[in-house]
Amino acid sequence: MSRFIQLHILTSYPAANLNRDDLGAPKSMRFGEANRLRVSSQSLKRAWRTSDTFKATLGKEHLGVRTKELGRKVYCALTQGADLDAVWDDPDATGGLPTLKEKPAMEIARTIAGVFGKVKKEYDPKGDKETDPVKTREALLESLEIEQLAHVSQEERQAVAELTKACRASGKTPAGEALSLLRSDAKAADIAMFGRMLAASARFNVEAAVQVAHAVTVHRAVAEDDFFTAVDDLNRDDAGAGHMGVSEFGAGLYYLYICIDRELLAENLGGDAALVQKALAALTAAACTVAPTGKQASYASRAYACYALAEKGDDTPRNLSLAFLKPVGETEEEHDGNIGETAIGRLVKTKANMDKIYGQTLPPKCFNVFTGEGSLAELAAFVAE
Amino acid sequence: MARYLTFQLYGMLAAYGLVAVGEVRPSASLPTRSAVFGLLAACLGIRRHEETRLAALSDGYALAVRVDAPGTQLLDYHTIQTPPEKSKRVYRTRADELGGLLGIDEPPYTVLSRRGYLCDAHFTACLTPAAKPSTGPAAPHSLEELAEALRRPVLPPYLGRKCCPPSLPFAPRVGDYDNLEAALADYPLSRLAFPTGRKPSTPAVVYADNNDALTLEKVTNRPLVRDRTVQHGRRLFEERRAVAGVTAPGVVTPRDKDKEAGHVSC
């Protein structure tokens, strides 16, 4: 299997301000002695990670459930003689398993839920003047809720189910290691891909398996000023604007490079091959269809990739930015051409030259919106396989 | 005669970090010693926590860096959201950090920083086994092993910061030469290998680790460099006296003879 998967993506954004610097202007850089617009890698990663594409492709089983009801579920499982999975979907489920009394069940439920967040104030049966047993029970169950929605992964849910089982058998409130194990093997695909550095607790550090370069325009581009006025709707006396301002924006065809270390990704995900494939498919889809959301309300600059090339291999990964070192669209023959097609031509040629000169052979796969070749589904399948 | 390993370092962006406390995280103007050995460690598959192997690697070789194209400096504005630290609370997913485990009145903090980068900088690194390993062990890997690791790396290599992938393969070359200058002179800067379109600096500036790496008359400066790392349970910066001098760069097609040399033709 190939260790490295490289993605080269061209996306054209119309007027936009996707990623701003401290002055509110689109980020820029010098590249090949020419000014370019730029989108930083962290801005891209955040957009992908929080995208619906990630949610849809990775599925809820790897993104977890947001719930306050963990304590309720544990309590119901313990008192109704059913396992956690049964009460997860049906709160009134009963079963033939041994049941615990109200008080120890409450203790256990509060302790387990406490791992995921602050649990509500403990239920006091003496202080409750309510005589209706249905309402009393509801008050008790509510007291077992976590105050905010907690994000629970499927592995964690599984671990809670196991722990609930153990507590049912022992009747004791769990403590120490039993509790800290709960979330330690959470397979968070986002962290496996993009890593995490927590200075405070090094043991939770994860080395990112995905490397993302800053996206940069293939041609010369500078931020332009948009002078705007806003009119006061109620003003009848003065014909002038109620407000004037300047906001900066820019348009361009951006080249984006991503390098995935497939083995490291598998290692970060505990060797779960199916999850690795899902993560790769999600990343490919997001990188080709999801843009940073900066200033969407003003520019609606959402754009899909017009060209994407994937390569696999064990050789030193290398960005193909060289193709655009000389800004596109500046020679006589490129003047009336389509910048997109010229850029694709340059990219393909640079890859071929690079392969020849450095003796690399990397099986490629691509799609091209200008010619209608290939598809995102095929590309994602190639990356994930 | 000594054995030298020579390879190129070129990327659209590179970031060779210096001591960074506070808001500004600058980049040095040339690859730091720790950056080069960190890169080799990644290629060899040495992980961050393997302090002894990292130390052995760094101690085992003398390094020189030739500045082929200095590039331009870029200071990038960068924001990070980070959760408040609370004892006993462990964040295990990014979702936890950004809200999953946070209270309503507990927003994630925003940390501002400015990160320095080098745009379009091209360097040639040259390694040779350290002269006499008096205390430490000898060079842990042969230069051929290092070259092979540069060709087929175990972990993804990058130029100082993860978002700075190389834009050219490292193209390592191992050979026996009389001295450092001969080794560097023999590293060809072909059109593809030297793409920035300008003539490389002639004569090129070389920064070397050890005093005898350059012939005396070529030494122009002995800068104090704060980039050698020492292990004390955690890595720290240490100062070293480098030696800088000028030397002729490798074989480059003269500009006037080849008008297309300006840019890689694609």
Side-chain angles (χ1 to χ4, degrees):
Chain A
M1 198 189 340
S2 307
R3 173 143 206 157
F4 300 114
I5 303 164
Q6 299 177 84
L7 283 169
H8 308 273
I9 298 171
L10 292 169
T11 310
S12 169
Y13 292 103
N17 192 345
L18 300 167
N19 182 210
R20 282 161 275 170
D21 66 13
D22 45 343
L23 303 175
K27 284 190 174 182
S28 58
M29 74 179 281
R30 294 280 292 173
F31 171 45
E33 306 294 309
N35 287 324
R36 318 285 181 119
L37 294 176
R38 173 173 63 96
V39 178
S40 73
S41 57
Q42 67 153 0
S43 166
L44 293 163
K45 287 187 283 187
R46 184 176 200 281
W48 301 337
R49 207 179 48 221
T50 56
S51 69
D52 289 340
T53 310
F54 254 44
K55 247 175 240 162
T57 321
L58 284 166
K60 65 174 196 282
E61 64 269 38
H62 295 299
L63 288 167
V65 179
R66 286 175 79 87
T67 180
K68 299 200 258 193
E69 296 196 3
L70 207 61
R72 278 175 87 125
K73 295 297 178 200
V74 172
Y75 177 83
C76 290
L78 289 174
T79 53
Q80 290 162 205
D83 62 18
L84 191 76
D85 287 340
V87 295
W88 196 268
D89 298 321
D90 173 13
D92 298 322
T94 52
L97 299 170
T99 57
L100 292 187
K101 288 211 164 57
E102 195 174 285
K103 193 134 195 287
M106 219 160 79
E107 272 298 304
I108 293 166
R110 290 188 72 84
T111 310
I112 293 177
V115 175
F116 293 85
K118 193 174 165 218
V119 185
K120 287 183 179 165
K121 198 160 164 276
E122 198 163 346
Y123 174 69
D124 176 13
K126 288 191 193 106
D128 192 354
K129 299 282 180 288
E130 190 58 64
T131 47
D132 183 350
V134 177
K135 285 188 179 160
T136 331
R137 184 180 142 81
E138 195 42 52
L140 186 152
L141 288 176
E142 248 177 58
S143 76
L144 295 173
E145 287 181 356
I146 304 167
E147 286 195 353
Q148 278 92 35
L149 289 172
H151 192 263
V152 184
S153 77
Q154 294 305 310
E155 288 75 23
E156 286 154 7
R157 178 182 156 183
Q158 200 54 47
V160 170
E162 295 291 323
L163 190 57
T164 308
K165 209 163 122 189
C167 292
R168 188 198 303 281
S170 69
K172 291 202 181 92
T173 311
E177 255 318 278
L179 287 173
S180 75
L181 278 172
L182 271 181
R183 299 167 51 96
S184 58
D185 60 350
K187 286 176 186 163
D190 58 344
I191 285 182
M193 283 189 257
F194 305 131
R196 177 172 55 190
M197 264 197 282
L198 283 174
S201 47
R203 75 194 171 98
F204 292 110
N205 284 356
V206 177
E207 180 71 35
V210 177
Q211 186 184 12
V212 183
H214 290 223
V216 62
T217 57
V218 302
H219 48 78
R220 257 177 232 274
V222 288
E224 295 176 54
D225 288 339
D226 175 30
F227 171 77
F228 67 91
T229 60
V231 177
D232 186 327
D233 288 347
L234 297 184
N235 171 21
R236 292 283 176 273
D237 304 327
D238 184 352
H243 173 82
M244 289 186 293
V246 170
S247 85
E248 292 188 72
F249 70 98
L253 176 65
Y254 288 77
Y255 167 63
L256 167 64
Y257 170 79
I258 300 170
C259 174
I260 305 157
D261 181 342
R262 197 191 164 116
E263 283 178 35
L264 186 58
L265 183 62
E267 188 184 313
N268 287 351
L269 288 172
D272 185 336
L275 183 52
V276 170
Q277 295 201 339
K278 274 193 177 178
L280 291 171
L283 178 65
T284 312
C288 292
T289 60
V290 176
T293 51
K295 289 231 177 182
Q296 280 309 313
S298 309
Y299 293 105
S301 57
R302 300 191 188 276
Y304 281 12
C306 58
Y307 179 82
L309 166 71
E311 301 176 288
K312 289 183 184 180
D314 290 334
D315 293 331
T316 315
R318 79 286 175 276
N319 193 332
L320 291 176
S321 68
L322 217 56
F324 310 117
L325 193 62
K326 179 179 172 186
V328 172
E330 305 207 333
T331 57
E332 199 64 40
E333 60 268 30
E334 284 175 6
H335 270 158
D336 51 351
N338 177 335
I339 275 193
E341 285 176 0
T342 311
I344 294 168
R346 291 242 205 126
L347 197 64
V348 171
K349 184 146 184 223
T350 304
K351 172 181 160 52
N353 286 352
M354 199 79 95
D355 287 355
K356 191 181 95 203
I357 287 173
Y358 290 98
Q360 300 188 327
T361 43
L362 305 171
K365 184 101 188 164
C366 70
F367 72 69
N368 184 338
V369 171
F370 296 108
T371 59
E373 287 164 74
S375 73
L376 175 57
E378 281 169 31
L379 189 83
F382 172 77
V383 169
E385 89 191 359
Chain B
M1 271 308 222
R3 220 159 167 68
Y4 290 89
L5 162 69
T6 322
F7 59 97
Q8 63 180 354
L9 296 166
Y10 169 73
M12 182 177 85
L13 284 175
Y16 300 111
L18 292 171
V19 179
V21 267
E23 200 210 315
V24 182
R25 336 285 291 178
S27 168
S29 55
L30 72 160
T32 55
R33 209 171 189 285
S34 55
V36 175
F37 287 99
L39 179 92
L40 286 167
C43 292
L44 289 161
I46 303 174
R47 301 295 173 106
R48 290 183 199 280
H49 63 269
E50 297 179 78
E51 301 286 359
T52 18
R53 290 183 72 194
L54 288 170
L57 188 68
S58 171
D59 292 342
Y61 310 89
L63 172 74
V65 174
R66 180 177 67 196
V67 183
D68 302 315
T72 48
Q73 288 269 359
L74 169 76
L75 208 54
D76 185 41
Y77 175 74
H78 190 119
T79 61
I80 312 155
Q81 281 193 314
T82 180
E85 234 177 89
K86 282 273 161 75
S87 59
K88 287 191 187 167
R89 192 196 278 164
V90 178
Y91 302 99
R92 287 192 175 87
T93 68
R94 184 71 178 142
D96 282 357
E97 294 179 349
L98 295 184
L101 290 187
L102 301 186
I104 288 161
D105 52 348
E106 217 182 24
Y109 300 118
T110 301
V111 180
L112 304 182
S113 67
R114 277 160 200 283
R115 306 196 170 199
Y117 292 91
L118 288 180
C119 309
D120 265 345
H122 191 289
F123 303 98
T124 304
C126 189
L127 263 78
T128 190
K132 47 171 181 41
S134 52
T135 49
H141 304 273
S142 72
L143 294 182
E144 281 78 8
E145 277 168 27
L146 294 181
E148 185 49 31
L150 285 166
R151 261 179 227 115
R152 295 172 83 80
V154 178
L155 294 165
Y158 48 89
L159 307 174
R161 222 172 254 148
K162 204 135 194 169
C163 61
C164 305
S167 290
L168 283 173
F170 302 113
R173 160 185 285 214
V174 179
D176 291 307
Y177 300 95
D178 286 339
N179 53 37
L180 171 72
E181 289 150 62
L184 282 171
D186 192 37
Y187 193 75
L189 296 172
S190 63
R191 268 169 62 193
L192 190 62
F194 191 79
T196 42
R198 288 177 307 176
K199 272 200 281 184
S201 331
T202 331
V205 181
V206 175
Y207 291 84
D209 260 3
N210 50 345
N211 261 328
D212 48 357
L214 289 170
T215 40
L216 219 53
E217 62 268 25
K218 292 201 171 171
V219 172
T220 55
N221 194 3
R222 295 182 190 277
L224 195 62
V225 188
R226 200 172 184 218
D227 68 352
R228 190 189 181 93
T229 48
V230 281
Q231 271 78 9
H232 285 300
R234 63 200 177 94
R235 263 161 280 151
L236 294 169
F237 282 95
E238 188 186 45
E239 288 179 348
R240 67 182 166 98
R241 181 70 72 175
V243 47
V246 290
T247 180
V251 183
V252 183
T253 323
R255 191 75 198 268
D256 47 347
K257 280 196 187 159
D258 183 358
K259 291 224 163 65
E260 284 169 55
H263 286 284
V264 180
S265 45
C266 288

